[in-house]
Amino acid sequence: TQIQEKLLEKSKEAFVLAIEIYNKPTIKYRVEGFSFFICNAWELMLKAYLIKTKGPDSIYYKDNSQRTLNLENCLQKVFTNEKSPLRKNLSKIIELRNTSTHF
């Protein structure tokens, strides 16, 4: 769908931005900036995947059709095994992002 394609395009841009920021040694806030963009990239990509596999309604909260799922919710829906290395690693990056955002 068109929404899925837009989400994937934005996801690719966020992945590139994350890597570009991380690779700039002169930026002192680069790890935090990387975490923001990599989380955004994963969230967009997982939403595109959910739309493709479960339909457009799958990215919205059941009790609020105006609000889309957050990254943690998408991660739980797609990677159902809590011990999955990818899920565990992404959870750590989410923690870093949350600490950076709310500290």
Side-chain angles (χ1 to χ4, degrees), residues 21-22 27-36 96 100:
I21 287 172
Y22 188 79
I27 297 175
K28 292 183 175 29
Y29 199 60
R30 73 180 198 259
V31 172
E32 293 85 351
F34 167 82
S35 71
F36 297 143
L96 174 62
S100 301

Side-chain angles (χ1 to χ4, degrees), residues 32-46:
E32 293 85 351
F34 167 82
S35 71
F36 297 143
F37 283 108
I38 204 72
C39 284
N40 181 243
W42 271 100
E43 183 174 327
L44 294 168
M45 184 174 60
L46 291 174

Side-chain angles (χ1 to χ4, degrees), residues 31-91:
V31 172
E32 293 85 351
F34 167 82
S35 71
F36 297 143
F37 283 108
I38 204 72
C39 284
N40 181 243
W42 271 100
E43 183 174 327
L44 294 168
M45 184 174 60
L46 291 174
K47 284 178 180 175
Y49 177 80
L50 286 169
I51 288 171
K52 180 179 181 180
T53 59
K54 299 181 185 214
D57 292 339
S58 65
I59 66 168
Y60 294 94
Y61 287 100
K62 293 194 187 314
D63 62 346
N64 186 350
S65 62
Q66 301 299 308
R67 190 169 162 234
T68 61
L69 301 174
N70 64 29
L71 176 55
E72 288 99 336
N73 298 136
C74 292
L75 200 56
Q76 291 166 359
K77 278 187 147 193
V78 175
F79 298 101
T80 55
N81 178 1
E82 291 178 22
K83 296 181 194 284
S84 161
L86 183 59
R87 181 169 163 177
K88 288 168 79 174
N89 286 339
L90 279 171
S91 292

Side-chain angles (χ1 to χ4, degrees), residues 10-20 37-38 41-42 45:
K10 287 182 178 187
S11 176
K12 289 176 195 174
E13 283 293 315
F15 271 111
V16 170
L17 279 168
I19 291 171
E20 285 182 357
F37 283 108
I38 204 72
W42 271 100
M45 184 174 60

